[in-house]
Amino acid sequence: MEGLERIVKEHPFFAGMQNAFCDLVCGCARNVRFEAGQYLFHEGEPADWFYLLRHGRVALQVAVPGRGAVTFQTMAEGEIVGLSWLIPPYRWTYDAKAIGLTRAIAMDAKCLREKCEADHDLGYEMMKRFMPVLIQRLQATRLQILDVYGTPA
Amino acid sequence: MTAAITAADPMVPRVARVLRRRRNGPQVFTLDVEPEDPAPAFAPGQFSMLTAFGVGEAPISASGDPAEPGRLVYTIRAVGPVSSALTRLGPGDLLGLRGPFGMGWPMVEAPGRDVVIVAGGLGLAPLRPALYRLLAERARYGKIVLLYGARGPADILFRNEIESWRRRLDIDIAVTVDHAPPDWRGHVGVVTRLIARADFDPLHAVALVCGPEVMMRFAIAGLGEAGLADDAIYLSMERNMKCAVVFCGHCQFGTVFVCRDGPVFRYDRVRSLLAVKEI
Ligand SMILES: Cc1cc2nc3c(=O)[nH]c(=O)nc-3n(C[C@H](O)[C@H](O)[C@H](O)COP(=O)(O)OP(=O)(O)OC[C@H]3O[C@@H](n4cnc5c(N)ncnc54)[C@H](O)[C@@H]3O)c2cc1C
């Protein structure tokens, strides 16, 4: 457990978080690893876990008829895989597949949602940490759909 | 009295011959050219005006090694009449050449600091001479980081060279594409997302940024978030220009002429220029 606590605290997503909050969060955390090609989750499944990557790379994919699994984003060490656990109906809207050996902290989403509901200070702390991630993803997506390289540099 | 434009004037092109033409991706070609009189030296980030005879003239950045004498290298994407005509030239064909012109990358300011290069699409071409210089004088710099984003794997410029730089181990390189086929095993996502993952000391770094303007605006924001000051960020503003020698005013913005004072600018000096949609 001590090792897991250290790992959680060291992850950039939780950098500088109060110890009391860390203890609560750690109660929902678990160490996991995925081999290359293994799926972290599939589209449509309940978003029961999300992942803080510690090592490796994960491809976020959507199956497109006639084109197979199209990767629209890859996530790397220090980043988060899975945001749908935050908002109802808590279901994944894409597949997440390990590209190479991947180590991560898996967070029990239901456990964390319940703790946030019971302790709004923790809930607010989590929101403050998740909102920038959401905004960054939104901005990156906006840039991606602009297809800027289609016009002369 | 106005000065007469004589044959020695920078408005008169010298004649150059194409030595080699290579395809770099969809509609992108690199030409090695040799001027009939000795090739002028250029600084990384400078551009020339290339003439496709009978069609017109376009500003194109030097993309070759500034230390290699005798030849000039240009990487061109066919987007309209002039650039298309230039990319159709083959070995032995002639073209016109004026320049080099403009202010290049801050090669004087960079020594002693980490150097973060953020390139998008064709923006890697004007940065390649800077990379050659940095790697030729590797010991003078701290970390060198190259973050490169392209539309898809087929659009990645200078692929073999990127792979050989990777093998050097003294430069950190991350390449990402916006759109990937299923067999691509690299990063997917916009180049600006690589900034947060990169390892450099923001207090002792300079960033060189080149790519489509929207991408540069996002990159500047990302570099700022990473802790880089505005005066440590340099970008190449490839706005349209005509004469390249401060005659015509086509690229003028207030007191700034992109052709003379740029194309490379320190960001804090052109913040307001970036907000202007067309000049
Ligand atoms: C300093 C500088 C350096 C440049 N370096 C390179 C280079 O290394 N390689 C390269 O391929 N191109 C470069 N360009 C852009 C190149 O000059 C233009 O693509 C070229 O002038 C287009 O001429 P054209 O007759 O082929 O097309 P046009 O008919 O003039 O234009 C075709 C389309 O491209 C757009 N366009 C033209 N110029 C630009 C520009 N500068 N930025 C964005 N959109 C533009 C036009 O709006 C139009 O939609 C550079 C531009 C500048 C100012």
Side-chain angles (χ1 to χ4, degrees):
Chain A
M1 188 60 196
E2 243 185 19
L4 183 63
E5 249 165 50
R6 186 179 47 77
I7 287 168
V8 169
K9 278 186 188 161
E10 277 174 4
H11 195 278
F13 181 73
F14 290 119
M17 191 153 91
Q18 277 180 32
N19 280 342
F21 289 150
C22 259
D23 293 345
L24 287 167
V25 166
C26 281
C28 304
R30 178 174 113 180
N31 239 325
V32 290
R33 59 177 271 168
F34 298 92
E35 305 299 329
Q38 224 181 327
Y39 283 84
L40 284 68
F41 51 76
H42 287 98
E43 182 178 340
E45 288 175 355
D48 291 337
W49 296 86
F50 66 94
Y51 301 90
L52 310 173
L53 300 187
R54 300 177 50 219
H55 173 85
R57 204 183 299 166
V58 171
L60 311 186
Q61 302 179 327
V62 175
V64 180
R67 283 172 61 197
V70 174
T71 300
F72 61 91
Q73 196 119 79
T74 48
M75 310 308 296
E77 193 177 310
E79 296 179 325
I80 291 197
V81 176
L83 302 170
S84 305
W85 69 276
L86 268 169
I87 28 161
Y90 311 123
R91 283 196 180 275
W92 299 121
T93 53
Y94 47 80
D95 300 336
K97 182 182 172 186
I99 297 176
L101 171 71
T102 297
R103 283 195 292 272
I105 304 161
M107 283 282 171
D108 181 334
K110 192 159 169 286
C111 162
L112 199 58
R113 282 196 300 260
E114 281 169 6
K115 287 190 182 180
C116 289
E117 204 53 65
D119 178 345
H120 285 183
D121 285 347
L122 173 67
Y124 183 54
E125 180 68 27
M126 293 303 290
M127 284 300 154
K128 277 200 294 189
R129 285 167 189 270
F130 265 98
M131 278 313 281
V133 178
L134 278 169
I135 300 288
Q136 280 155 15
R137 298 271 170 93
L138 177 68
Q139 281 170 347
T141 307
R142 203 179 283 153
L143 187 54
Q144 204 171 6
I145 57 178
L146 279 176
D147 196 20
V148 285
Y149 305 127
T151 54
Chain B
M1 204 182 88
T2 48
I5 296 172
T6 67
D9 259 292
M11 289 303 289
V12 178
R14 59 176 81 203
V15 175
R17 188 177 298 278
V18 176
L19 297 175
R20 193 154 82 143
R21 172 188 188 258
R22 276 159 295 172
R23 186 179 178 277
N24 298 109
Q27 271 145 13
V28 181
F29 295 85
T30 293
L31 300 181
D32 292 13
V33 312
E34 183 185 44
E36 287 188 339
D37 36 342
F42 72 95
Q46 283 193 309
F47 66 96
S48 299
M49 297 299 290
L50 302 190
T51 310
F53 293 121
V55 186
E57 201 180 32
I60 303 289
S61 304
S63 71
D65 187 345
E68 197 178 305
R71 69 171 60 186
L72 293 161
V73 181
Y74 300 97
T75 302
I76 308 162
R77 175 193 273 155
V79 295
V82 178
S83 51
S84 299
L86 288 169
T87 56
R88 280 195 299 268
L89 297 176
D93 288 342
L94 299 179
L95 70 158
L97 180 76
R98 294 196 292 125
F101 298 116
M103 300 297 291
W105 298 108
M107 307 314 294
V108 177
E109 290 84 344
R113 303 212 247 171
D114 291 354
V115 183
V116 185
I117 293 179
V118 188
L122 205 60
L124 185 59
L127 281 163
R128 189 168 68 159
L131 272 157
Y132 286 133
R133 175 72 58 81
L134 292 169
L135 294 176
E137 303 172 351
R138 182 65 191 89
R140 301 182 67 202
Y141 307 93
K143 285 193 176 120
I144 299 178
V145 179
L146 169 62
L147 310 176
Y148 177 43
R151 191 185 208 183
D155 302 281
I156 295 170
L157 288 184
F158 317 134
R159 211 168 170 150
N160 293 340
E161 222 159 2
I162 291 175
E163 271 154 26
S164 73
W165 289 333
R166 263 210 180 115
R167 285 194 291 274
R168 287 179 57 121
L169 304 177
D170 57 0
I171 164 168
D172 294 340
I173 300 182
V175 176
T176 186
V177 297
D178 278 5
H179 308 281
D183 60 346
W184 169 253
R185 291 178 53 80
H187 291 291
V188 180
V190 292
V191 64
T192 50
R193 291 195 61 234
L194 300 176
I195 295 170
R197 297 174 190 162
D199 181 23
F200 59 89
D201 176 356
L203 299 179
H204 301 98
V206 289
L208 319 185
V209 184
C210 189
E213 268 192 40
V214 187
M215 167 254 150
M216 292 203 289
R217 295 208 302 267
F218 277 81
I220 289 162
L223 290 163
E225 270 167 42
L228 234 77
D230 287 356
D231 63 7
I233 301 173
Y234 293 79
L235 58 147
S236 185
M237 299 269 298
E238 304 200 336
R239 297 275 176 116
N240 256 332
M241 60 178 67
K242 279 215 163 77
C243 76
V245 287
V246 204
F247 285 170
C248 76
H250 191 80
C251 68
Q252 185 178 8
F253 175 83
T255 56
V256 171
F257 286 78
V258 176
C259 67
R260 176 196 62 195
D261 307 317
V264 175
F265 290 95
R266 213 173 77 184
Y267 173 56
D268 59 325
R269 297 184 176 144
V270 286
R271 245 186 312 244
S272 54
L273 197 78
L274 261 193
V276 176
K277 292 190 175 57
E278 283 298 334
I279 56 169

